[in-house]
Amino acid sequence: MARPAAYGRLFAAAWTLARHDALLPAELEALYPPPVRDLGRALRLLAGKQAKIGRPGERLARALVQLGPVAIKLGQLMSTRADIFGAAFAEDLSRLKDRLPPFPADIARAQVEAALGAPIETRFSEFGEAVAAASLAQAHDARLLDGRRVAVKVLRPHIGVRVAQDSAALAQAARLVDRYVPAARRLEPRAFAQTVIRATELELDLRLEAAGCDELGEVMARDGYMAAPTVVWEGVGKQVLTLEWAAGAPLSDPAALTLPGLDRPQLAINLLRAFLSQALDHGVFHADLHEGNLFVEAPAKITAVDYGIVGRLGPDERRYLAEILWGFLDRDYLRVAEVHFRAGYVPAHHDRSAFAQALRAVGEPVFGRSASQVSMSRVLIQLFEITALFDMRLRPELVLLQKTMMTVEGVARRIDPDHDIWAAADPVVRRWIARELAPPAQAKRVVQESLDILHGLKRRLQDPEPSVALVATPERDSGWLWFFLGALTAGGAFLLGALA
Ligand SMILES: Nc1ncnc2c1ncn2[C@@H]1O[C@H](COP(=O)(O)OP(=O)(O)O)[C@@H](O)[C@H]1O
Ligand SMILES: [Mg+2]
C-alpha cells in the first residue's frame, strides 16, 4: 500500500534531523561508505550553524522536540536504552525538554467543557492561564466551587490526529528499516516503533493518568516517604485531568532548597526510599521523578505530580533487583552471579566462573571506594552491560527502573551533595529480604512457583508464539546506525517515489 502522506512526513523529518546533523552525524563518519560520507558532508554544508552545536545526543534531542510528540516519545524511549546506544548518548538524549508555548486558555476552557459535558462555571470558580505546557498537554491553575485549588491538565486540541499521522510515519520508517537494513532487524525496529506508538497513545488518555496517580497515591501512603495529589474524579475525562494542587514549592525552582526548616539530607533519603519501596515492595513506581514533577515542604515532605509514565515490576524482577542490591550492599558479588543463573536470566550453558569474573569488574570499584561515591544506577548499568555479554535478555521494565534510578540519584545528590544512596537504600532492601526470604514466605513461594510453572507450561502448549521483547544487545553503535540509516532509507525511498 502506498502511503504518500507518511513518506512526505518522513522526508520532512529527515530534513529536520539533517539540519541538526543528527541524520548522518559527523562523529560516525568513519563508519559510512564513501557516497554516504559525501552526502553527510553536503547535508552539513546545507544545514548551517545549528548542526555544529553540541554532542550528537543533544542535537538529536533538539531535532526530536521540533518533530513533535511521537518523536519526543521515541527520544525518551531511546534514552532508556543506554545498553544499546551508549551511556553518554542516552544521557544527552534524556535531557530532551518537552516544553512548548501554551495554547490560549479560552481553548483550554472549551476543551474542558466538551470533555466534561458541562459549562466550566458548574465545576470551577476560577480557571486561570496555563502554568506549564508540553507537546501533548498543558496544566492550568484553577479552583473548584468548594474553594479547593486544583491543577487541570488539558490535552492539546486535535493532538489525536497529529499523533495518528506521526505514528503512521514512524511505523512506515520502521517497515523500511526492517526491509532494507538487514543488520538492524535484530533490534526489532517494528516492535520498537509499536512500543513508542503505544506509549504515546496511552498518554493521550488522561483517565489512565488519573488512575496511575490514584494507585500510586495509595501505595505511597503506606510508607509515607512521598505523597500524590488527590484525584478530583468529577474533573476527569479522556482529555482532562483534575488534581488537587500539590503543596509546597517545585524542586525545579532553586529557591525550594532554601525553604526555612528544610532538612535536605532527610529529603534526599525520603526521595530514594520512596522510589525503592514503590518498586520493590509494591511493584509499581513513578517513572518520571525529575525536579519539575516534585514539590517539597519543610521539613522533608515530597509530593510528586505527573503520572503519565508508571513503571511496573513483576515478582521475579522485584526479587532479582532486591537480591542484586543486597549482593552489592553486602559486598558479596558471588551471590549476584548465582542470582542470575538461578533466575534463568543467564542461559545455563555459560560458564559460572567466567560470569563471576565479569561481575568482579563491576564489584571491585564498589569495594574499593566509599559507598557515597559509587552511583547505584551506574552499577546497575554496568551490570546490564556485562550481562548482555552473557546473552542476558534485559526486561524493559528493569531498564526503565535503572533509568528512573539515575534520575532519582541525580536529584538526591543535588538536594544533598553528601547523599549516600547505598546507606539510604539499605533499610528498604533489608526489610524486603527479611520479609520475602524468611522461611514462611519461602514456603509460600515454592507453592506459588510450582503453580506458575504449571501455568507457564499450559500457556506454552496453547500458544507456541515466542514473546517479543524490546531487546538489549550489546552492540551500541549499530543501534545508532539503524536509526540514521532508517531515516536515510526513508528519504531515499521518498525521492524514488517522487521521481517515479
Ligand atoms: N497537582 C499539581 N499541583 C501543582 N502543580 C501541578 C500539578 N500538576 C501539574 N502541575 C504543574 O504543571 C506542570 C506540568 O504538569 P505535568 O503533569 O508534569 O505535565 P507534563 O507531562 O507535561 O510534564 C508540572 O510540572 C507542575 O509545575
Ligand atoms: Mg511533568
Side-chain angles (χ1 to χ4, degrees):
M1 200 184 13
R3 294 175 183 83
Y7 278 119
R9 282 206 164 68
L10 281 183
F11 189 63
W15 175 233
T16 302
L17 289 169
R19 279 210 329 268
H20 295 275
D21 192 20
L23 187 65
L24 293 168
E27 289 82 354
L28 296 184
E29 218 172 41
L31 297 171
Y32 308 140
V36 177
R37 198 178 55 218
D38 294 341
L39 176 65
R41 287 185 182 162
L43 285 174
R44 271 189 292 286
L45 278 178
L46 287 172
K49 270 209 310 290
Q50 52 188 345
K52 297 194 185 71
I53 306 168
R55 292 184 292 269
E58 296 171 322
R59 300 198 307 263
L60 180 60
R62 283 204 306 273
L64 293 176
V65 168
Q66 282 188 9
L67 287 172
V70 176
I72 288 170
K73 183 53 71 186
L74 174 72
Q76 285 171 344
L77 284 178
M78 282 173 75
S79 79
T80 65
R81 307 313 309 258
D83 49 328
I84 299 175
F85 302 108
F89 181 74
E91 225 167 299
D92 285 338
L93 198 52
S94 73
R95 296 213 191 87
L96 166 160
K97 283 274 175 299
D98 181 15
R99 287 291 159 234
L100 294 179
F103 57 92
D106 282 344
I107 294 182
R109 280 188 211 106
Q111 292 262 105
V112 172
E113 295 190 331
L116 301 183
I120 212 117
E121 314 77 64
T122 63
R123 301 284 162 88
F124 302 97
S125 60
E126 285 170 37
F127 193 97
E129 293 298 316
V131 292
S135 59
L136 291 177
Q138 67 186 27
H140 290 258
D141 188 350
R143 256 179 219 284
L144 299 176
L145 294 184
D146 63 15
R148 274 184 293 166
R149 190 178 181 191
V150 288
V152 184
K153 200 161 163 177
V154 189
L155 287 190
R156 282 189 179 269
H158 314 300
I159 192 70
V161 179
R162 171 78 198 274
V163 165
Q165 290 168 339
D166 289 356
S167 297
L170 180 65
Q172 182 69 354
R175 276 192 293 272
L176 291 172
V177 172
D178 198 46
R179 189 145 166 214
Y180 297 109
V181 193
R185 271 181 213 146
R186 285 185 323 101
L187 296 167
E188 305 182 44
R190 285 166 186 246
F192 192 73
Q194 283 317 313
T195 308
V196 172
I197 291 167
R198 177 100 187 114
T200 319
E201 274 172 6
L202 290 179
E203 283 193 45
L204 280 183
D205 190 337
L206 294 179
R207 291 171 302 188
L208 297 176
E209 184 168 338
C213 178
D214 195 63
E215 180 185 359
L216 270 165
E218 234 175 80
V219 158
M220 289 167 178
R222 286 182 219 156
D223 307 295
Y225 295 126
M226 185 183 266
T230 305
V231 178
V232 180
W233 286 104
E234 316 81 83
V236 174
K238 191 164 185 260
Q239 279 105 355
V240 184
L241 169 67
T242 308
L243 300 179
E244 279 188 13
W245 192 264
L251 257 186
S252 49
D253 175 359
L257 285 180
T258 58
L259 285 174
L262 200 70
D263 182 347
R264 288 170 66 163
Q266 191 57 46
L267 194 67
I269 289 173
N270 283 352
L271 174 64
L272 190 272
R273 289 191 185 155
F275 164 65
L276 260 193
S277 71
Q278 284 165 35
L280 273 186
D281 293 332
H282 310 291
V284 51
F285 58 96
H286 188 306
D288 200 9
L289 288 167
H290 62 75
E291 271 111 336
N293 291 336
L294 296 170
F295 288 68
V296 299
E297 266 179 302
K301 182 167 183 223
I302 309 171
T303 304
V305 303
D306 196 353
Y307 293 79
I309 313 175
V310 169
R312 291 188 189 274
L313 292 183
D316 291 349
E317 285 81 44
R318 282 151 72 182
R319 181 171 180 192
Y320 167 75
L321 179 70
E323 297 207 39
I324 295 288
L325 294 180
W326 178 251
F328 280 108
L329 280 165
D330 238 21
R331 319 214 141 174
D332 176 6
Y333 57 87
L334 273 176
R335 179 196 178 103
V336 176
E338 235 172 72
V339 169
H340 283 83
F341 278 92
R342 212 169 355 106
Y345 281 133
V346 175
H349 66 81
H350 278 296
D351 183 50
R352 275 170 203 242
S353 50
F355 185 58
Q357 178 194 341
L359 286 173
R360 181 179 289 267
V362 180
E364 276 309 299
V366 180
F367 296 159
R369 277 192 278 164
S370 95
S372 63
Q373 289 177 305
V374 179
S375 151
M376 189 180 277
S377 58
R378 281 204 180 274
V379 165
L380 278 187
I381 199 110
Q382 282 173 26
L383 185 74
F384 292 169
E385 279 171 3
I386 279 173
T387 49
L389 290 174
F390 287 81
D391 301 322
M392 172 165 159
R393 293 193 118 207
L394 261 192
R395 314 255 340 143
E397 305 91 295
L398 281 173
V399 181
L400 183 62
L401 178 113
Q402 183 277 334
K403 173 81 193 160
T404 311
M405 185 180 285
M406 195 163 96
T407 307
V408 166
E409 212 173 348
V411 175
R413 274 180 211 266
R414 285 189 288 277
I415 294 174
D416 171 19
D418 297 325
H419 177 71
D420 180 343
I421 188 173
W422 299 90
D426 194 282
V428 178
V429 177
R430 211 171 277 278
R431 185 177 73 183
W432 191 95
I433 296 281
R435 189 181 64 231
E436 299 288 326
L437 301 187
Q442 253 173 345
K444 200 170 128 208
R445 196 172 31 251
V446 169
V447 175
Q448 190 55 47
E449 275 171 5
S450 323
L451 284 173
D452 288 350
I453 289 170
L454 284 176
H455 283 303
L457 270 177
K458 197 169 135 215
R459 233 176 305 139
R460 224 165 285 171
L461 287 173
Q462 288 165 343
D463 171 24
E465 268 305 283
S467 60
V468 185
L470 238 188
V471 199
T473 31
E475 277 184 17
R476 307 144 144 254
D477 290 327
S478 70
W480 253 86
L481 210 55
W482 82 255
F483 181 75
F484 297 114
L485 282 177
L488 190 70
T489 317
F494 173 80
L495 280 179
L496 286 178
L499 291 174

